[in-house]
Amino acid sequence: MPMSNITIVGGGLVGSLLAIFLAKRGHVVSVYERRPDPRRTDVYAGRSINLVVSHRGWTALRAAGVEDAVQAITVPVHARMTHDREGNLNRVPYSIDNKAIWSVSRGELNRRLLAEAEKLSNVKLFFDHRCLDVDLEHATCDFDHNGHKVEVK
């Protein structure tokens, strides 16, 4: 298969994981993200929502070859506790066979996926690039980078 130059608009969870998949298939991938690099700034400040990685998520991470890198930043969660009106605690397992789901910080997961993508020589990451326009007919994207227009073929 001939190598293609692929532009991904958005360096969040989906964009960074897609970059890994495409690069491992031999494509040259450029990822453009409107925010600053979350590995160098705290773009996630005040956003403490964790995600859970279940079987389907692990399948995708394994297929991308980043399972171990992500596993290192997850915490197993086997059950949740509920409180009834009388104050009694009730343990509700997430699985009938006591299997865990895995909690991970959204920001930390994004930082890890970006780092894994950047390890690949055919992936380039561009931050502070806000997408202005996509012209599919001419295969171009226009970005604003600190007040300067950048056209990408």
Side-chain angles (χ1 to χ4, degrees), residues 21-42:
F21 273 112
L22 293 172
K24 288 187 174 186
R25 290 186 177 179
H27 301 286
V28 176
V29 182
S30 298
V31 179
Y32 290 84
E33 170 58 45
R34 70 176 167 81
R35 299 170 301 172
D37 188 338
R39 298 166 300 166
R40 291 173 179 77
T41 61
D42 198 7

Side-chain angles (χ1 to χ4, degrees), residues 42-49:
D42 198 7
V43 298
Y44 292 105
R47 298 181 184 185
S48 62
I49 298 174

Side-chain angles (χ1 to χ4, degrees), residues 16 20 24 39 64-70 110-121 123 125:
S16 54
I20 293 167
K24 288 187 174 186
R39 298 166 300 166
V66 296
E67 178 182 24
D68 291 341
V70 173
N110 195 189
R111 287 187 278 271
R112 186 62 52 107
L113 290 174
L114 288 167
E116 291 298 310
E118 195 168 51
K119 288 179 184 177
L120 302 169
S121 63
V123 173
L125 304 175

Side-chain angles (χ1 to χ4, degrees), residues 83-120:
H83 305 264
D84 66 19
R85 290 190 172 148
E86 287 76 42
N88 299 310
L89 296 177
N90 184 30
R91 183 179 186 275
V92 181
Y94 285 115
S95 167
I96 59 172
D97 50 1
N98 203 33
K99 289 184 180 176
I101 57 176
W102 298 83
S103 178
V104 64
S105 155
R106 174 186 294 275
E108 205 46 51
L109 178 58
N110 195 189
R111 287 187 278 271
R112 186 62 52 107
L113 290 174
L114 288 167
E116 291 298 310
E118 195 168 51
K119 288 179 184 177
L120 302 169

